Structures are given as C-alpha cells and as structure tokens.
Amino acid sequence: MKKIYTSIGICLMPFFVQQLHAQANTQLSNLNAPTKINASLIPNQNNARSLGNSNKGWKDIYMGGILRRGGYTWLGGGVFTGNTFLGERAGNYLIANGDGGNPSNTFIGSSAGFNTTTGGANTFVGTSAGFYNTSGDQNTFLGWDAGTDNTTGGSNTFLGVWAGNRNTTGSYNVMIGKVAGAFNKTGRSNVYIGNLSGYEGGNGSYNTFAGDSSGMKNTSSHNTMMGRMSGASNTSGTGNTFLGSMSAHNNTTGGYNTAIGHYALDDNDGASGNTALGYSTGTVYANGSYNTFVGYNADASAASLTNSSALGSQSTITASNQVRIGNSSVTSIGGYVGWTDLPSDVRFKKNIKENVPGLQFINQLRPVTYNMDVIKLNQFLNAGNRDETSSHEKISGADEALIKMGIEEKEKVVRTGFIAQEVEIAAKKLGYDFSGVDKPQNEHSLYGLRYAEFVVPLVKAVQELSRMNDEKDAVILQQQKQIDVIMVRLEALEKKNGITGASNAKGEGLAFMAQNTPNPFKSTTVINYSVPEMISSAKLNITDVQGRTVKTISLKNRQGNVSLNSGELSAGNYFYELIVDGKKFGSRQMTVIK
C-alpha cells in the first residue's frame, strides 16, 4: 500500500505544481524572464481593481517616467530640470517632447501650460491656466483660465478666475481678481486689482486700477483709478487719475482729469483737463474742460463750463472763465496782502483813453445798506441740481443744523454797497462801459460788483473837484486884488477930501481892516489895518468855519499891519475880524493851503 501511495504522489506532483503556479505566480509575456508579478496587481478588463486599500497602503513609489490617468498624463516633470506638472495634460507639450531645455516650470491643473514649448520659470495653477503659452517665461497664473491665451508675454502675474485670460504678448502686468484684465492682449506694465478691474483692457499700458470694476472698460494708457467703479466707463481717455468710490465712473473719452473723492466728476464724459477734490465735486457741470473744483460739493450751476474754479465747500461757478471762493454762508475772505490786479503794465495796454466819467457818474449812484437773503440765493444757485432727490447722500441732522446756523448769522450782517442793476443803468446813461459791473452770462449767473473798479471814477471825481476848487480860488484871488485896488483908491479919495482922520459925522475916527495878501497863502500873509486914536482896546480875532476862535492878536498901533505864518494854522478856510472897544468892524475870509 505504501508503495502504491508513493507512486500515486509521484504521478500527481506535476499537476499540483502546475496548479500552484496558475494561482500564485504568472509569467508576464512582455517582461524578460525570470521577472514575475503577483497576479492580483494586474488590472482586470473593467478597471475595477484597486492598488492597496485604506488599511494597507504603499510606503514609497519610485517613478522614472510619468503617471497617467484615464489615458492622459496626470503627473510628470524632470528631476534635474525643476519642472513639475500635475493634472490631466498639464505641461502636455513638454512631456511629449522632452523638457530638458525648459527648466523651472510648475503647472498644476487640467491642461495648465498645455502648449508651453520654450518658456521657463512659469507657475500656472488652475484649469487651463497658461494654456496657450509657448515661449512666455517668468509668468505666474493662478486661477481657472488665468492667462489662458498668453503666448509670448513674460513677467506677468494673473491671480483669479479668468484673470488676464486674453493676454497674448503683454508683459510686466499684474492682474488680481476675478476676470481682472481679462481682455488685455498686448498692453504692458499694467496693475489691475479687484473684480472686473481693467476687464476690457485691450492694448492699454501703464495703467493702475484698484477696486471692484475700476477701469472696467478702459482701453487706453497712463491712467490711475482706485476705488469701486472708479473710471468704470473710461474707454479711450488717457492720463486720468481717479481716486475714490464711483469717482468719474461715467467718464469715457475725457483725458488728463484728476478726480479725488466719492462721486468726484461723476457725470464727466468726454471733457478733459479738470481737477476735482472732495466728495461729490464737479458732479453737475459735466463735459466742461479745464475746471477746478475743491471742497465738499464744490460744483457748477450748469454743464459745459470752461476754465472756471470753485474753491470751498458748496462753492458754485455759474459761467465760464470764472472763479468763485466760498459759499453763500461765508462772511469773510481775506489775506495778509492786498489783491493784485494783473497785469497793470503799460506794455500790455492799448486803446488808452481818458474818458472815465467822474462826478457825473458818482452823483448818480445810490449807496444803500441791506441784508443778504441767503436762502433765496441758495435756491437760485442750486435749483434742480443738488436737492434731496439728486444728492448721493443726505446731509446729517447735525450738519444741517450747522448750515442753518451759518445762514442765520450771514443774514444778520448789515452790508453797505450799491445795487448792481442800478450801477449798470447809471453807466449806460453816460455811455460808460463800466468794468465794475459783473453781468450774468447765462440764466444761472448772478449780477456782481467789483468794488475795486469804483476807485477809478472816484479818483476822476476828486480830480474834477480839485480843478473846480482851483478855478474858484483863482477867481477869489482876482477879486481880492480888485478889492485891494479899490481900497487904496478909497483911502486916496478920503485923504484928498480931508477925512484922513477917518472921522464920522460925530468926529470919531473910523476903523479899517484890509483883505490879507496873498490869499490863499502857503507861507505868510499880511493884513493891513487902522483904528481911531481915542480907543481903549483893539484886536484882530481869527476863527475857523465853525466859529471857534483859533487866534487873537492885540493891536498896539493906530495903524499898521499884522503878519501871519501858515505854520500857526492848519490848512483850510478861516474868518478874521477887527474888534475895537468890543465892537466888530468887518469880517473877511482867508485860506491856508499846505
């Protein structure tokens, strides 16, 4: 029996060995012998076999090539070139054609860096990030479709979904945010930060946009826009600086504008060369050029004004070529030197004529006092422009109280001046084109007066008065000379007729006092006199035009003269009279000039 079993075992041994090989080890036809593999590692036909499990995993995996998933490259790169590709078809060209000459690329995401051929030092992260890049290098694209169309552009940084999506050859750009600079193609050295910032891009260069939708439609260059929607509508406007949420957000083609503040230059469209600084500055004027608005709500009363400036909170320009400082509540404007009117230089004046009316114009003016109706003025200036329905933000209760207080204080001030319309009428009557009247240029403008201009007709009036006074003095002097001649002749007649004692019917002497000569006088003048012999006292009394005695001179001699020095008296008119024993004999006028 033992031999029988042994014989059977020997006969069955080949069979057991064959079965053991069939279940445990299988020779692979595509591997050189004697390589063997456990049959459980070979995938079956329906891709249902797993490699390891959650409890038993592999420690290390060593690869000399690439890792594919679903038939596509999923993980690849070169150890010595510094390339890393992770994702389906990431770095597809370099993997297929060798990456030895294109080091230091990192492509992570499906089709990231798909077409890169010679570009190096790129980092593309996200599905299709840098998909069409060929030779562009030193780029960083992070986000789905970020920098997708970039081909040769280099040194770009695109972060966000679709950021820099259509960039092709543009370089040195920084675009951060969803679809930031999405349609920039060839523009260079741009910085776009924020959702939709620089969205349409085009070929614009050297722009800086920061804020949601800032510079969203821009296609031009050299613009700086910071703040939500700042310059959002700008297309071809260049050289603009917009800082503040919604600043100049309606500007399209206007260039070289500066808008700083929430809603500054809000409605500007195609105008250029404007400067607006402050909340809601220049929001009404729209499309005027070379204007300056500084201060909260500094603005214009109408659109399309040019070369004007509004300086100060709520200040308003009403016409072109105009400057307005402060609002209707301001009570004082000044400085430490007088205002200089430039130029006042004969080299730049022509058609010079001495035809300024003096007294004739001044005498027609009506000086008045008045109070300003500030509320009515504000209603006129702001009609339909800045009421509550059009304001971006309603004024707070505290601010409104301060404004009301300022208005009340302004309306209490009693002012002195003229009525502009009356001055205009007075000038027209004389055919005088008076520059002191600032006439309204449109229905939004006000009448105004330039009071400094009144100096000229006033000077002319003083000159006319001085000339008239000189003429009268000449007449008086001539008349005095005639009187002196008559007095000499009278004395001669009296002497001839034997009345040299100047006696009256009672035999009393007569008192006599001549007109001073010269008159008027600048230095000295002489007064001749004579008095009766039998008197107790005689004196010369000098008074001013108010009747106050300014000088009394005692007369010691029966006849003679008194010399007066102008240094003893102020310039002006005086009266003098001869007083004998308390009785007045005559009164004459003399004039002292300096």
Side-chain angles (χ1 to χ4, degrees), residues 18 160 189-190 230 234 305 332 393 443 483 524-525 583 587:
Q18 183 178 0
S189 300
N190 296 295
S230 58
N234 192 74
L305 304 182
S332 178
E393 294 180 7
E443 68 275 16
I483 291 171
T524 59
T525 188
K583 296 180 180 180
S587 178

Side-chain angles (χ1 to χ4, degrees), residues 505-580:
K506 296 181 179 180
E508 298 175 339
L510 296 177
F512 167 73
M513 178 183 63
Q515 180 69 47
N516 67 301
T517 58
N519 187 42
F521 67 99
K522 290 184 178 180
S523 56
T524 59
T525 188
V526 175
I527 302 173
N528 292 314
Y529 72 91
S530 64
V531 295
E533 293 181 358
M534 303 302 292
I535 61 171
S536 298
S537 65
K539 60 182 178 181
L540 196 65
N541 195 47
I542 302 173
T543 62
D544 59 18
V545 292
Q546 282 80 32
R548 295 172 297 192
T549 299
V550 297
K551 190 175 182 64
T552 299
I553 303 172
S554 296
L555 304 177
K556 303 298 183 181
N557 301 317
R558 178 180 174 276
Q559 62 181 5
N561 59 67
V562 173
S563 180
L564 290 176
N565 192 316
S566 64
E568 302 177 55
L569 301 170
S570 299
N573 294 317
Y574 297 88
F575 295 96
Y576 62 96
E577 54 192 4
L578 180 62
I579 301 176
V580 179

Side-chain angles (χ1 to χ4, degrees), residues 383-403:
N385 292 336
R386 281 181 285 193
D387 54 20
E388 290 188 2
T389 58
S390 62
S391 296
H392 300 302
E393 294 180 7
K394 189 176 180 180
I395 298 175
S396 67
D399 290 340
E400 190 172 7
L402 288 174
I403 293 173

Side-chain angles (χ1 to χ4, degrees), residues 1 25 37 45 86 153 159 186 215 229 258-259 368 372 447 586:
M1 287 296 294
N25 295 295
I37 190 169
Q45 294 181 351
L86 175 60
L159 305 180
T186 61
M229 295 288 289
T258 299
V368 298
M372 182 72 72
Y447 265 99

